[in-house]
């Protein structure tokens, strides 16, 4: 039988989430090997306990009542690099810090992940949300995701197609009870040029092909300026990153949103509203822009919670608050956007410990 690591009681999940919010876990365990993970899953199964797989906690909203089940903190570490012709295959186990993986890839001169610098959390969480920033998404470079299938506790290698990636979406997100990501393998380009698809990033350079490390530094600067880098000395960074996803709408809805924006006097001409055409003909709107133009100013405070002073899409916990306060603010923000633009914002973080979806 696989060894089960020590089970700890009374762990406050607020200490394991970037928001610093949330109640206690009924039971908490850290696994460092797949055998330990399997033992922990069997333990929960035998007792009929729900399981929460915990990575870096940077995309989690945990209920004040905590989590009535077993929290399994994923601590499998290790990074491996292999050459395959012109491609470098970089494998990171789930418990590696994501930014350490990006830093390593940039240090090795491997192009493909540089724009994903400074994203908090662990490597194993990145395919779940199909993490993306500044024109790159992990799905663009993923070669393989190794998972443990909870249905039979067997390992499986999944191709990117099998992961069914979309914008901030994947099979793992849609079936949260089914798979545990064990490792991710990326196909990167040795000596490749950095990606400069995102205009504010491109505009920072006068030369056409800055080095990967200069691009990484610039991404870190951009994120820091928006308080999207976890930094204990920056109170605006105590968030779960973007609290809502950017809404994806059809052309009819876009026109309706534009009509409402002009009618409300928010814009004078339609090209003033940021929006991006997707390959499938739909349009991605900018939730942060909608929030601000719905009358929620950056830096808004409501007691212990508020809106980031540097990005309207991040809700912030200033300390001493409760998850209920944050959710009340989120509902309010959502209602204002709905009233002004007729658009429903959907939360981006994973909600834990709630009987029903709280938003
Ligand atoms: N905007 C505002 N006000 C704001 C924030 C943004 O008007 O307070 C406008 C900006 O001026 C810009 C547009 O909205 O015209 C888009 O803003 P930004 O470029 O900052 O990106 P975003 O769409 O708000 C997304 C991701 C971020 C990622 C950035 C950079 C989502 C939900 N968020 O934000 O990811 O870092 O692009 O690529 O897709 C996350 O997912 O947690 C996250 C931080």
């Amino acid at each position: 039988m696989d060894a089960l690591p020590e089970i700890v009681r009374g762990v406050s999940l607020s200490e394991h989430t970037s928001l610093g919010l949330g109640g206690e876990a009924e039971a908490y365990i850290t696994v460092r090997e797949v055998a330990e993970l399997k033992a922990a899953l069997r333990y929960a199964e035998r007792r009929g306990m729900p399981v929460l797989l915990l990575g870096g906690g940077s995309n989690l909203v945990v209920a004040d009542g905590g989590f009535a089940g077993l929290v399994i903190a994923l601590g499998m570490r290790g990074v491996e690099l292999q050459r395959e012709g012109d491609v470098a295959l970089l494998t990171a186990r789930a418990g590696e810090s994501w930014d350490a993986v990006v830093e390593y890839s940039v240090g090795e001169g491997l192009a493909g992940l540089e724009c994903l610098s400074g994203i908090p959390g662990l490597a194993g969480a990145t395919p779940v949300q199909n993490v993306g920033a500044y024109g790159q998404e992990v799905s663009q470079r993923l070669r393989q995701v190794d998972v443990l299938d909870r249905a039979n506790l067997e390992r499986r290698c999944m191709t990117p197609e099998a992961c069914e990636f979309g914008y901030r979406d994947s099979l793992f997100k849609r079936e949260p009870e089914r798979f545990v990501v064990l490792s991710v393998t990326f196909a990167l380009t040795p000596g490749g040029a950095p990606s400069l698809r995102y205009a504010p990033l491109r505009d920072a350079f006068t030369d056409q092909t800055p080095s990967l490390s200069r691009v990484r530094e610039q991404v870190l600067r951009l994120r820091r300026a928006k308080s999207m880098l976890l930094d204990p000395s920056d109170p605006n960074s105590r968030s779960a990153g973007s609290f809502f996803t950017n809404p994806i709408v059809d052309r009819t809805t876009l026109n309706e949103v534009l009509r409402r924006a002009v009618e409300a006097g928010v814009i004078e001409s339609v090209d003033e509203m940021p929006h991006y055409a997707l390959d499938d003909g739909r349009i991605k709107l900018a939730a942060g822009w909608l929030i601000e133009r719905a009358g929620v100013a950056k830096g808004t405070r409501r007691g212990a919670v508020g809106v980031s002073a540097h990005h309207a899409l991040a809700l912030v916990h200033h300390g001493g608050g409760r998850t209920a306060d944050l959710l009340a603010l989120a509902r309010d923000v959502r209602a204002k956007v709905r009233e002004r633009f007729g658009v429903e914002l959907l939360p981006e973080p994973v909600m834990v410990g709630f009987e029903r979806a709280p938003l």
Side-chain angles (χ1 to χ4, degrees):
M1 210 46 174
D2 301 322
L4 182 71
E6 185 197 356
I7 293 180
V8 188
R9 309 274 167 191
V11 172
S12 172
L13 290 173
S14 65
E15 286 161 30
H16 295 275
T17 56
S18 53
L19 273 165
L21 288 171
E24 287 184 359
E26 183 186 336
Y28 186 102
I29 199 167
T30 304
V31 296
R32 294 196 170 76
E33 292 305 329
V34 178
E36 293 179 348
L37 169 65
K38 285 187 187 177
L41 288 168
R42 281 197 198 98
Y43 173 90
E45 175 84 35
R46 277 197 300 274
R47 286 160 182 77
M49 291 169 92
V51 166
L52 167 63
L53 298 161
L54 181 67
S58 52
N59 201 39
L60 276 190
V61 175
V62 180
D64 293 307
F67 180 68
L70 177 65
V71 174
I72 304 179
L74 299 169
M76 296 90 89
R77 306 286 301 270
V79 173
E80 219 181 275
L81 192 56
Q82 268 180 298
R83 293 281 161 148
E84 189 194 76
D86 294 345
V87 169
L89 295 179
L90 176 62
T91 299
R93 295 183 83 202
E96 278 295 327
S97 144
W98 171 250
D99 192 48
V101 173
V102 176
E103 188 179 23
Y104 174 74
S105 72
V106 167
E108 292 291 314
L110 306 174
L113 302 177
E114 60 282 353
C115 295
L116 303 175
S117 294
I119 293 178
L122 303 185
T126 58
V128 181
Q129 294 279 110
N130 186 14
V131 157
Y134 306 113
Q136 282 181 337
E137 280 183 346
V138 288
S139 59
Q140 295 162 347
R141 291 294 186 147
L142 264 175
R143 166 67 68 87
Q144 179 177 313
V145 182
D146 281 14
V147 300
L148 188 73
D149 187 339
R150 287 172 61 184
N152 52 15
L153 292 194
E154 279 178 19
R155 293 172 81 143
R156 261 169 73 175
C157 294
M158 296 182 58
T159 61
E161 294 71 38
C163 300
E164 297 175 19
F165 288 117
Y167 163 65
R168 290 294 187 279
D169 196 27
S170 73
L171 177 69
F172 311 120
K173 189 169 171 186
R174 289 195 297 277
E175 288 197 41
E177 305 290 317
R178 182 73 195 271
F179 302 105
V180 187
V181 175
L182 301 176
S183 68
V184 279
T185 299
F186 295 97
L188 304 176
T189 314
S195 159
L196 294 174
R197 287 181 58 199
Y198 183 81
L201 183 61
R202 196 169 51 239
D203 295 347
F205 300 101
T206 47
D207 44 338
Q208 292 287 300
T209 48
S211 65
L212 293 173
S213 55
R214 281 181 63 214
V215 171
R216 170 172 163 79
E217 288 309 316
Q218 186 58 27
V219 167
L220 292 175
R221 265 195 291 277
L222 280 173
R223 292 191 73 92
R224 189 172 288 114
K226 293 181 186 179
S227 295
M228 291 286 187
L229 270 193
L230 284 187
D231 175 357
S233 69
D234 176 2
N236 284 293
S237 76
R238 207 172 186 185
S239 77
S242 302
F243 199 89
F244 299 102
T245 50
N246 286 327
I248 294 178
V249 300
D250 58 21
R251 198 147 279 281
T252 314
T253 311
L254 169 70
N255 290 334
E256 174 61 12
V257 173
L258 288 168
R259 189 192 62 74
R260 284 179 177 238
V262 173
E263 192 183 279
V266 170
I267 51 173
E268 282 173 10
S269 79
V270 294
D271 45 304
E272 288 172 48
M273 184 178 90
H275 59 280
Y276 317 93
L278 302 180
D279 292 343
D280 62 5
R282 293 183 301 163
I283 298 102
K284 186 151 93 175
L285 306 179
W289 188 94
L290 294 171
I291 291 169
E292 267 200 281
R293 274 65 181 188
V296 182
K298 288 191 272 221
T300 296
R301 274 292 288 263
R302 190 185 294 165
V305 297
V307 176
S308 164
H310 302 130
H311 203 290
L313 200 41
L315 301 187
V316 175
H317 172 218
H318 291 281
R322 295 175 321 135
T323 301
D325 305 328
L326 190 84
L327 291 173
L329 175 64
R331 281 186 203 104
D332 207 41
V333 167
R334 197 155 85 143
K336 288 208 161 80
V337 169
R338 186 191 305 126
E339 274 158 35
R340 176 147 295 176
F341 298 109
V343 172
E344 199 65 34
L345 294 181
L346 299 175
E348 205 228 29
V350 176
M351 304 280 162
V352 168
F354 300 93
E355 273 175 31
R356 290 178 261 113
L359 280 177

